[in-house]
Amino acid sequence: MRTVSRFESDLLQILQGVFRSTARRKMLRLIGKGSDRPRCLSADAVFLVKDRLAKAAIQSLAIQGGWRNDSFLRGGQATTGRLWERTPLAERTLNFSENSLAFLIFLTACEFSLDSNSPPFEFLANPSGGDQLLVFWVYQAARESHQAAGWRSWKLFRNNPFCRLMFPQDFGKAIDEPCGFEVSFAAGNVFLWEVFQPQLASQWIAAERAKLANHSAAEVRAIGESQLFTAESFFEAAEQAGRRDLVRWFLDTARVFFAGDPRAEQWTQHLQVDGLRMAERAQAYRASISLAQLFARLDQWQAGARGIGYLDEDYRAAQFWLEMWEQYEGDALSSTAKRLIRGVDPIS
Amino acid sequence: MSRAYRIRVSESLHRVIRAEDHVSSQLEILQVLPEDAMAALLAEELEKQGFERNEDLLIRKENEITIVIDAKTGEVTVMAESEESLELEANQEGTAYDDYGPTRQQAEDKLRAAAREGLENSADIKNDELQQQVTDKLEQALADIRRELDQAVNRATASALKVKAAQLGQIKEVAEDPESGNMTIVVEV
């Protein structure tokens, strides 16, 4: 039997609420309530945090996408299976450093609101992949709350690669700030991007539907530009890491909206542009079809992959890409994207 | 016995207001010939339409509309701008009493401030109207510009195809249908 203090109990309930929706209301009440921070946590509390975090993280990753029998690239070769079948243990080991515990203590101790001047949390040292993942999970759990609205100005979340790619519409003001994708690819936690493929697709589909229903030209422009910047940054990092297979979520998203014969007007006709200059209207229209704009990079990849010969080093990876492109009918999607771009062009 | 003062103030505002609007696009140029050759053909067609060459750019200014085209990249920018000199005047009247309420000077200052604020508001309204006129003008001009540029690109492409055909062999026949824009070139290889 383990004994914890009131503070430690609150901390553990916050952690529980991150992973269990049934405990979320309690979590949100506890976050920002403010409690006296103890000098240190007890050994029992640290044990329980580690235990709960380890088990919940594994379960969460398995449920979110790890269970899927998928094919991804490994060392330039296609590998199929569930996450734990296709990924060696050393390459799917998550480390949670002192940063994670410090973050949880901060969430429990600090009283913050939108008006408060309490300083935002900053990592004690370079965050590990696990630390960044925990920050993302906390943000995801609290996203609809008023606390999270204030968090969007914090570097902790603006520079978190998972927050940025999963919810680009929340970080429009962070445009041009680094998303941290290169670091996440280099940290040996690339497998997380494999796990998140389904969730990325569903989030981007939901965001695009919301954008289609949004009549504010200024808001649509901010969202579209953030989507464009964030996705292009991710594509760049994926290309550098030799992991073009990790843009599957984008093709899943594009397939939903580019199926059939969509017209550019679907994205633009409801935008309130009265009183705007043509330059501003054009920017809003271009941003509204950000999905279409993103195909320019994929077209380059496709052209490049076609040119890679049997004896070239990247042959298998190129073939993997070509097969994936064909599976998604990439040529048709790309053609639709070009047509949509022409449709919002003010001169053509 | 209190004395009433009738106060009249007059303020004026002289300002030059400017409005600007622009759109950019990319011409779709089929690379039938190398980039430089296509650029030269396009530039030639645009010069026939009144564009003037300025290094790599072709520029035409007409009725406050400026079109700038980079023949190499195909980038097109269409700008509309206008300016207007404003001369506005405003008068304000009020009353002050020597034994009650604000002093004469205070009342006068207040009236001047109100007059200036009114002038600023009027200037802002004029600015918005000018901006709307410039935007409307640009929007109306775009349809014609679109047609002109399409024609220039089509003619440049047709010229490029003839050059390319001549490189392949001997041209036996060229048939062009100006209505449909179709062109048939018969080449003996």
Side-chain angles (χ1 to χ4, degrees), chain A residues 277-283 285-286 344-348, chain B residues 20-26 65-68 75-80 135 138-139 141-142 145-146:
Chain A
R277 291 162 61 237
M278 287 216 68
E280 288 152 354
R281 275 185 238 170
Q283 283 166 338
Y285 291 156
R286 268 198 291 268
V344 301
D345 192 309
I347 297 176
S348 68
Chain B
E20 177 275 341
D21 204 351
H22 67 273
V23 290
S24 296
S25 179
Q26 196 80 27
I65 302 273
T66 304
I67 310 170
V68 180
E75 192 175 335
V76 181
T77 305
V78 184
M79 290 177 286
T135 295
L138 177 62
E139 198 170 7
L142 283 180
I145 290 170
R146 201 175 289 134

